[in-house]
Each structure stands twice: as C-alpha cells, then as structure tokens.
Amino acid sequence: MAEAHQAVAFQFTVSPEGVDLRLSHAALKQVYLAGLRSWKKKITRLRNTLVTGVFPASPASWLVMAVAILASQASRLDPSMGLIGKIKEHLPASAYLSERRAGLGALAFATLLWLGLVVTMRGALRALLCYHGWMEEEHGRTSHATKFWLALVKIFAGRRPMLYSYQASLPRLPVPPIRDTVQRYLESVRPLLSDSRFQRAAALARDFERSLGPRLQWYLTLKSWWATNYVSDWWEEYVYLRGRGPLMVNSNYYAMDFLYVTPTPMQAARAGNVVHALLLYRRLLTREEIKPLMIQGTLPMCSAQYERMFNTTRVPGVEADLLQHRQDSRHVAVFHAGRFFRVGLYHGGRLLGPRQLQAQFQRILDDHPPAPGEETLAALTAGPREPWARARRMYFGSGRNHSLRAVEEAAFFLTLDTTEQGLLGPEPGPALDRYSKALLHGQCHDRWFDKSFTVIVFRNGKIGLNAEHSWADAPVMGHLWEYTLATDVFKLGYSADGHCKGELDPGLPPPQKLQWEIPEECQRVIQGSLRAAQALADDVDFHTFTFKDFGKGLIKKCRTSPDGFIQLALQLAHFRDKGKFCLTYEAAMTRLFREGRTETVRSCSIESCSFVRAMADASQSATQRLALFRVAAAKHQALYRRAMTGAGIDRHLFCLYVVSKYLGVDSPFLREVLSEPWGLSTSQTPIQQLELFDLRNHPDYISCGGGFGPVDDNGYGVSYIIIGENLITFHVSCKFSSPETDAHRFGANIRKALLDLRALFNLPTK
C-alpha cells in the first residue's frame, strides 16, 4: 500500500559486510516538520498561559515596574520604605551576589509589587463584574451610576485580551436562597395547574423548604465554594453523558448554510474551502487569538466551552459516556457513500490549501464501493448508547477495526453526502423541510454523531453542520459557523469555474481508506441500531420557514425586546394550536459567570397567560390587550435577567436533586419538578459577528440558523434566528406519532400570531 510505504522512515538489511541502512529522506523530513510544528504549538501555549495568567496586567508591565524601581534606586530614592533592604538581608551570601544585592533586591520588590497589583486588579474586576444592576435599566437610558461602573470596568479590564484572558476574573455562579427558588417555581406553575393541584404543589414545596431543603442547600453551598461552577459538571454528566437514548434527534442539533446562495455547485470545491476555513479558525483558537465575547463591548463572557471544539469525540459507555479530547489532530475523518477515509491536513509542514483539499476530496468521490457492514457502521452512533458501548468494547479493540481511532481522534468528521439539498424544485417549503431533516439525522448511518461536530457537504454544494451537545452549547458552535461561512465566501472565494483558488500539489499522498473487519454478530448490532434510529428519524415532523413580513426593525418601534416579542407570539400560537398553556423552556446563557452554560427561562408566566386570554376574548379592546402585552413583555425581560444572573429556578433545583441522590434521600417535591414535561422548548440563535457580513450589500449571505428535535413526545421544539431588520427564520419540530402536534399547523399559528401582534401596535405593513 502506498500510504504504508511512505510511512517507513528507514529500512535496513543485514549482510556479511554489515548493516546497510537505507534512509527515506522524504519521510524523515516529514517527521522533522511534525516535531517542529509540535514544539511551536507547545511554545505558543506556554506564552499564552503566561500572558493570560497575569491579565489584566501584561508581562511588559513588569518590565516597566522593574525599570522604575531600579531608576529610583539609582536616584537614591526608596519607594519600598525599607522593604528592599529587608529583602537584601535574606538573599544568600556569596561573592558573586555581593555586588548585585541592591539590584536583585529591587527586582524582587518590583516583582512582588507587580504581582500584588495583578491580584488587586483581578479582584477589583471580579467584584465589578458581580454587579448586574445595569440589566434593570431601560435600553438607551443608562444612569450616571452605571456609566461610572462601566468606566471602572474598562479601566480594570486591560487591553487586547486573548480568548481566555478574563477566565480568572469572572465571578462564580451564586447559589440562590431556597426560599426564593421555591417561590419563583410556584409562581411559574400557577397558570398551568388547577387550584387543587396547585395547593398540593405548594404544600410539597413548603415542606421541602422547611425540612430537607436546608440540608441539601448546605452541601450545594459547600460545592459552590470549592468548585469553579456548582452546576456545569453535574449538568454535563447527568443531563448529557449519562443519557442512554440516541444522540441523534434527542440531543444533537444542526446549523444551515446560506439559504438563497450556494457559492459553488462543486461538492469537492465547497468541501475544500469549508474545511480550510474551519482549520483557520482552529489555528486562531489554538493561539487564543479569538476575541472573547463581550456584552456591550465591555462585559466579558466565559470562553471555557471553546476548549473542546476540535479534536473531541464522545466515547460510549455502558452506564455513562466519556468526552475524549486531544490537544491536536493532524487529520479529518471523511465519509462518502458508505466508505471511511483519513485525510491528512498537513504536507511539507504546511496546512493544506483549499485547492489541495479539493483534490483530496475529489479522489474520495471517485473511489470504489464499501466493504460489507461498512456502509451502515455509523448507525452505531445514531442508536441507543448501551449497544454501541458493548459493540465498541467487543469488536473495535484490535485488528483492522483500530480504524475507529482514526475517526475518534480526527479534528472533526466530514460527510460528502450523496443527496442534493436546499431550496430546490417548484415547492421551496417542503424542500427546506427536507434540508432540515437531512441535517438533523440524514440517513441515520452517514453522520458520526459522537464527534464534536460533523460537517455535511451535499452533492450540489450546499453545506450544513450537525453538532454533539454535551461539550458546549449552540452559541459557541454558532460562532465557529459564522466565521466559516464568511471566510468561505468573502476571504477564500472561488474561481470563475467554481473551483477553489490556489495551486495543486502533485506530490500529495492520496487519502487513506480505512479498513474494517465487521463480523456478522457486529453487523446484527449495527442493524439493530439502524432500525431504532430510522424509527426515531421517521417520526420527526419538521417545518422550517422564513417570516418576511417584518423583523427586528419593526419590533424595535414597539419599544420591546425582539426576543420577548417572539416569545409572546409563541405563547399565543401555542394556545391557538392546542387550546391550553404548557411549561415552556427558553435557553438563556449564564456565561457572565465562570464555566457558565445555560439556565431556563420559564416563558409561560401568569402575565403572558393573561395577555393570551385577552387576545382570545372578543370583549377586550386593543388598548387593554396592548397594556397586558407590555406587562407580559416586562415580566419576560425580568425572568430573562434572573436567569442570566444566576437567579433562575431549574439549575438550582436540578443540583439539589443530584445532592439528594448522593445522600440517598427522596424528595417528592424534587421528583415531581424534574419529571414535568416541557411542552414547548424554544431557543434563539444569536448572530454574534455581524462585522463579518455585509447585510446591506449582500443580504442573502447569512445563515438561516439551525434547529433541534422535540424535547417532549407531545410537544414542540422551536428555534429561531432574527436576521437583519426584516427577516426571522423559524425551525419547528415535533413528532408524527403525537395526536396533539403538527409542525406545519404550529408554523401557521406562529405566522398568524406575529401578524396579530403587529396589528395590535397598529404598525404599517410592507
């Protein structure tokens, strides 16, 4: 095999004349370049650790401090008030040091003073970031106190931060008082329960608050003092890694390409540009050159979730999975038409360019049919976790099936899909629904759902993304996807005939086809996983649609937040769809705190229900409805602020439940709270890097967001993205098997609810 021959750095033969070494200079050169690249990365990490470790100061500030102290000593001034002399007394006695004791003492004092200032600045910044009163102020009406606070934050926040510079300065997530959490919980379920059921829930809650609650709270408070974040590790383990159901549909989510534009119809070319753009992002990530996300350009958010974006896979276990992350990976795993390949990313010590990657992917597209069992192998990652864990342990530990390591240790997974997707044919609506389902689950055996993310490139050049959820939340993946789309089109581009730009390398070794030996017993396990996955995929009803009647620009004229406006429209649409209210989940970020992930906004409130009932009551005037809308919107904003600032309900109750399980005690209150179904699960996809896109001149060059599967068998999942001033895209999911749900019916109700809200404000139509 060519790849095996090229991997041999030297050969030797033994003869009567001695040992004859035959060195392969090309192979040795590759070994040397690989080692050189590895050392460069180690040095970069060391430098970044030093710079981040002293932020918001800088190593250069130590030099300024040292020069200033030495200059004062030369001028016979003592800014240390005698401390330098004390330090000199404790320096070891030696002839070599005797003439340099004054300088060494001054340097030691300068270093101690500098470290003290670093700790002081970091502590001051952490204390400033604990203040969240700015959230209570109306947008555009900042008080003088908040302006002064923002000025102090800017002073202590340092200059030119790297990706992880603020991590040590972020405050810890606070543990809310039990009394507050219980009260907020009861308030959230009041509109959903009858009087008798609410009285029972209140009795359970009050009993928990008085008896078991304080004991569990004590352990949780202790953890919050010791751990960086009292929620995140348990959330990752118990919500994600211990889940035994399929990742596909239930956990993984997707992101879409440009909706109206396909930069090239050539599959291999699009794959070449996209993979190269992803690797450019990985380089920035490794060097920590990505700017940390800032609210209002001033307040930093946690960047911890970026660490496992690349080179990460979820390894199945019988009882719990494990996230396996590598510091580096020099290849990607590629799947096409039932065959797996390993494609190297470097040649001659350099990252492969887009044109070189295109050539590699074209070779894969031209390759031969798959071996028996290989075609549906990836279905193991789509089905239940326990059969996959047992099969992995039994059949993939030796022999040819060591090829699994090439997949799991890849930078990411790439699928060269055999179908065409996008706005195709005379009916773009159904085509968009098929595109969504292709990204969410595909054919159930052509995505590696365990990888941190899988990039899908369709035959007509359309692309998409399927991401595993345990390692990070969607906004982090969204940041990568925005960069990739913008770099693909605006930085790399294509030639006039649709090829990637750049030069071919005739000496590039071909992709390595991965070999498998899959016995019949393993094939039966694969087919069992495939049947389970296909049954789940076939049950998913999906409707993706664009709403163009108005967008953020018109909502701003209502003097309400776009998110609150859409959430109230969803409440109205759901009531019209099912004739009842339900427990509603909206994801909010808690990344104002170190290692923060998400908190739940319970968007169905007493105030929102009052507004929805008024909309259904013909006797209510427009003025009365508008007043109730403003009250409900204000309540939603208050709930969102609480969630972002660590005063939410659900993560606190979840952690109390985990503590109760560790202690072996049962709480009827916590058991009932955590078993309540989320009839409506919602999430907004934020656009985080508007500067990468020119929506004025290129309004079609923006992703239309992404979506996820339904959380409850009888509920809806809704993801939405607000694009520019005049476009909102919705991704609605549910299950065909439920007699209560219909994705297209709910989509029509969402559209009608939005139009009714516009009419309520008496705003002009287009």
Side-chain angles (χ1 to χ4, degrees):
M1 295 172 65
E3 62 271 13
H5 176 73
Q6 291 166 357
V8 178
F10 68 92
Q11 298 176 341
F12 66 92
T13 57
V14 180
S15 66
E17 288 76 22
V19 178
D20 179 25
L21 291 177
R22 296 195 301 275
L23 297 177
S24 170
H25 295 286
L28 288 176
K29 180 181 178 182
Q30 294 301 318
V31 171
Y32 166 75
L33 292 173
L36 185 63
R37 175 175 171 270
S38 177
W39 276 105
K40 284 181 178 179
K41 294 190 75 170
K42 289 178 181 178
I43 293 171
T44 299
R45 286 196 196 101
L46 182 63
R47 177 182 62 83
N48 291 345
T49 300
L50 175 63
V51 173
T52 300
V54 301
F55 197 84
S58 66
S61 64
W62 173 85
L63 183 61
V64 173
M65 179 77 71
V67 170
I69 297 297
L70 288 172
S72 66
Q73 287 283 288
S75 303
R76 300 192 180 280
L77 298 175
D78 187 8
S80 70
M81 295 181 289
L83 283 176
I84 293 177
K86 295 288 186 182
I87 293 173
K88 286 193 294 185
E89 293 175 6
H90 290 82
L91 290 176
S94 90
Y96 176 77
L97 294 177
S98 60
E99 297 179 359
R100 299 172 175 83
R101 294 171 73 88
L104 291 174
L107 285 176
F109 172 74
T111 301
L112 291 173
L113 180 60
W114 178 72
L115 290 174
L117 288 174
V118 169
V119 172
T120 301
M121 291 180 67
R122 185 174 289 174
L125 181 58
R126 186 184 297 113
L128 288 167
L129 294 177
C130 287
Y131 171 73
H132 300 120
W134 57 274
M135 287 190 177
E136 305 292 335
E137 298 180 356
E138 186 178 346
H139 183 70
R141 296 187 179 182
T142 308
S143 66
H144 292 298
T146 297
K147 289 179 180 177
F148 178 69
W149 168 75
L150 285 171
L152 288 176
V153 171
K154 289 180 180 179
I155 290 172
F156 287 99
R159 298 171 61 242
R160 294 191 295 273
M162 302 179 75
L163 178 61
Y164 303 118
S165 292
Y166 292 114
Q167 291 301 103
S169 300
L170 292 172
R172 298 188 180 206
L173 184 70
V175 181
I178 280 190
R179 178 184 296 274
D180 292 351
T181 299
V182 167
Q183 181 59 40
R184 289 165 183 163
Y185 166 77
L186 291 174
E187 181 184 339
S188 72
V189 298
R190 184 64 190 94
L192 307 175
L193 302 177
S194 64
D195 290 344
S196 59
R197 291 182 61 197
F198 179 75
Q199 289 173 5
R200 179 180 179 278
L204 288 174
R206 298 307 179 197
D207 178 67
F208 172 78
E209 182 185 337
R210 290 191 302 267
S211 56
L212 182 60
R215 181 186 173 195
L216 304 181
Q217 181 82 345
W218 185 86
Y219 284 98
L220 203 56
T221 304
L222 186 64
K223 185 192 177 188
S224 73
W225 293 342
W226 178 254
T228 307
N229 188 294
Y230 80 91
V231 175
S232 294
D233 58 337
W234 284 350
W235 187 254
E236 179 178 297
E237 179 180 356
Y238 292 106
V239 172
Y240 293 114
L241 298 181
R242 285 188 178 270
R244 299 297 80 199
L247 303 184
M248 186 196 76
V249 175
N250 295 329
S251 178
N252 286 28
Y253 56 93
Y254 70 84
M256 279 187 167
D257 192 7
F258 303 125
L259 185 57
Y260 302 107
V261 177
T262 305
T264 177
M266 302 181 67
Q267 185 176 18
R270 191 78 196 279
N273 257 18
V274 167
V275 169
H276 188 74
L278 288 166
L279 296 174
L280 292 179
Y281 188 95
R282 187 177 72 158
R283 178 187 291 172
L284 293 174
L285 184 61
T286 301
R287 297 174 178 175
E288 300 180 22
E289 294 175 356
I290 298 171
K291 294 180 181 178
L293 187 63
M294 312 282 278
I295 296 179
Q296 298 182 353
T298 305
L299 306 175
M301 302 189 78
C302 180
S303 301
Q305 294 181 51
Y306 288 83
E307 294 176 4
R308 297 179 292 184
M309 181 178 287
F310 292 91
N311 324 323
T312 299
T313 195
R314 178 167 168 169
V315 178
V318 175
E319 295 183 356
D321 293 352
L322 173 71
L323 279 175
Q324 176 183 287
H325 174 70
R326 296 171 61 84
Q327 286 294 333
D328 192 21
S329 177
R330 297 174 55 82
H331 72 277
V332 293
V334 182
F335 178 90
H336 172 66
R339 298 154 302 139
F340 292 82
F341 297 84
R342 181 189 186 278
V343 177
L345 300 174
Y346 296 87
H347 184 66
R350 292 181 176 274
L351 186 66
L352 294 187
R355 190 70 179 89
Q356 296 166 323
L357 287 166
Q358 177 186 345
Q360 296 291 69
F361 298 141
Q362 189 60 52
R363 285 171 167 173
I364 291 174
L365 293 174
D366 298 336
D367 203 86
H368 303 293
E374 180 183 10
E375 183 176 6
T376 57
L377 173 63
L380 289 169
T381 70
R385 304 302 291 169
E386 187 175 339
W388 171 209
R390 296 187 186 279
R392 184 179 184 275
R393 183 184 302 171
M394 187 173 298
Y395 302 114
F396 293 90
S398 61
R400 283 188 170 189
N401 289 346
H402 265 311
S403 293
L404 180 65
R405 291 185 58 186
V407 176
E408 294 184 338
E409 295 177 0
F412 52 88
F413 195 81
L414 170 67
T415 293
L416 298 174
D417 204 287
T418 56
T419 66
E420 296 185 357
Q421 299 294 340
L423 291 176
L424 304 173
E427 297 182 352
L432 200 54
D433 299 342
R434 289 193 297 271
Y435 183 21
S436 299
K437 284 176 67 69
L439 293 175
L440 184 66
H441 53 69
Q443 299 181 54
C444 304
H445 60 76
D446 51 357
R447 320 277 187 258
W448 199 267
F449 293 100
D450 287 358
K451 285 301 291 183
S452 54
F453 63 92
T454 295
V455 178
I456 303 111
V457 183
F458 296 99
R459 195 169 60 186
N460 60 337
K462 215 69 183 170
I463 63 171
L465 182 87
N466 184 288
E468 201 276 319
H469 209 326
S470 63
W471 63 273
D473 299 307
V476 174
M477 204 65 234
H479 193 276
L480 165 68
W481 197 235
E482 289 172 7
Y483 176 92
T484 302
L485 291 176
T487 303
D488 170 29
V489 175
F490 300 120
K491 183 177 179 181
L492 301 177
Y494 299 88
S495 63
D497 55 358
H499 289 281
C500 295
K501 297 178 180 178
E503 299 296 328
L504 288 171
D505 183 353
L508 199 62
Q512 175 188 351
K513 188 176 186 301
L514 300 182
Q515 304 296 323
W516 309 89
E517 289 181 354
I518 304 176
E520 290 186 7
E521 313 90 77
C522 184
Q523 291 186 37
R524 285 195 289 271
V525 178
I526 293 172
Q527 291 306 310
S529 294
L530 181 59
R531 285 192 296 271
Q534 285 177 335
L536 178 60
D538 291 343
D539 196 25
V540 175
D541 181 15
F542 224 100
H543 181 40
T544 299
F545 65 96
T546 56
F547 181 82
K548 300 180 180 178
D549 293 80
F550 62 87
K552 182 172 63 176
L554 187 137
I555 294 175
K556 287 177 182 176
K557 297 179 181 178
C558 303
R559 299 185 65 183
T560 187
S561 77
D563 182 68
F565 188 97
I566 294 174
Q567 284 292 326
L568 286 173
L570 291 175
Q571 290 298 314
L572 178 58
H574 186 274
F575 186 79
R576 288 172 172 173
D577 188 84
K578 289 190 174 182
K580 62 181 181 181
F581 299 107
C582 73
L583 195 61
T584 304
Y585 182 109
E586 181 188 4
M589 291 189 295
T590 56
R591 288 169 60 193
L592 288 171
F593 303 96
R594 190 168 182 180
E595 294 185 13
R597 289 198 60 163
T598 61
E599 176 57 277
T600 305
V601 181
R602 294 185 167 222
S603 301
C604 182
S605 62
I606 295 172
E607 292 78 4
S608 69
C609 292
S610 297
F611 163 70
V612 170
R613 289 193 183 97
M615 291 294 289
D617 185 355
S619 65
Q620 294 283 320
S621 66
T623 303
Q624 291 171 315
R625 291 171 177 172
L626 190 57
L628 290 171
F629 174 90
R630 295 201 181 281
V631 172
K635 179 65 175 182
H636 179 268
Q637 283 298 97
L639 293 173
Y640 206 98
R641 284 193 293 266
R642 285 180 190 169
M644 285 188 66
T645 55
I649 300 168
D650 291 276
R651 300 301 178 270
H652 185 202
L653 294 178
F654 162 77
C655 288
L656 290 172
Y657 180 77
V658 173
V659 174
S660 74
K661 290 302 175 183
Y662 278 123
L663 297 179
V665 296
D666 181 61
S667 168
F669 169 68
L670 292 176
R671 189 173 64 248
E672 289 199 10
V673 169
L674 270 73
S675 64
E676 293 169 345
W678 297 99
L680 179 58
S681 182
T682 70
S683 178
Q684 180 188 173
T685 303
I687 299 177
Q688 304 166 75
Q689 302 170 93
L690 273 174
E691 68 276 7
L692 297 180
F693 302 93
D694 184 359
L695 294 182
R696 182 179 297 276
N697 296 318
H698 304 285
D700 294 335
Y701 284 90
I702 192 75
S703 170
C704 56
F708 52 89
V711 174
D712 181 63
D713 288 343
N714 294 305
Y716 289 110
V718 181
S719 175
Y720 54 94
I721 180 171
I722 303 170
I723 306 169
E725 300 295 307
N726 298 298
L727 178 63
I728 308 171
T729 302
F730 290 89
H731 304 252
V732 181
S733 66
C734 62
K735 292 193 173 181
F736 285 116
S737 58
S738 172
E740 301 179 21
T741 58
D742 183 307
H744 289 77
R745 184 185 71 206
F746 191 46
N749 280 319
I750 292 173
R751 186 183 299 276
K752 185 176 186 306
L754 288 168
L755 294 175
D756 288 348
L757 290 188
R758 180 182 65 182
L760 186 64
F761 282 89
N762 198 26
L763 293 171
T765 60
K766 282 189 179 180

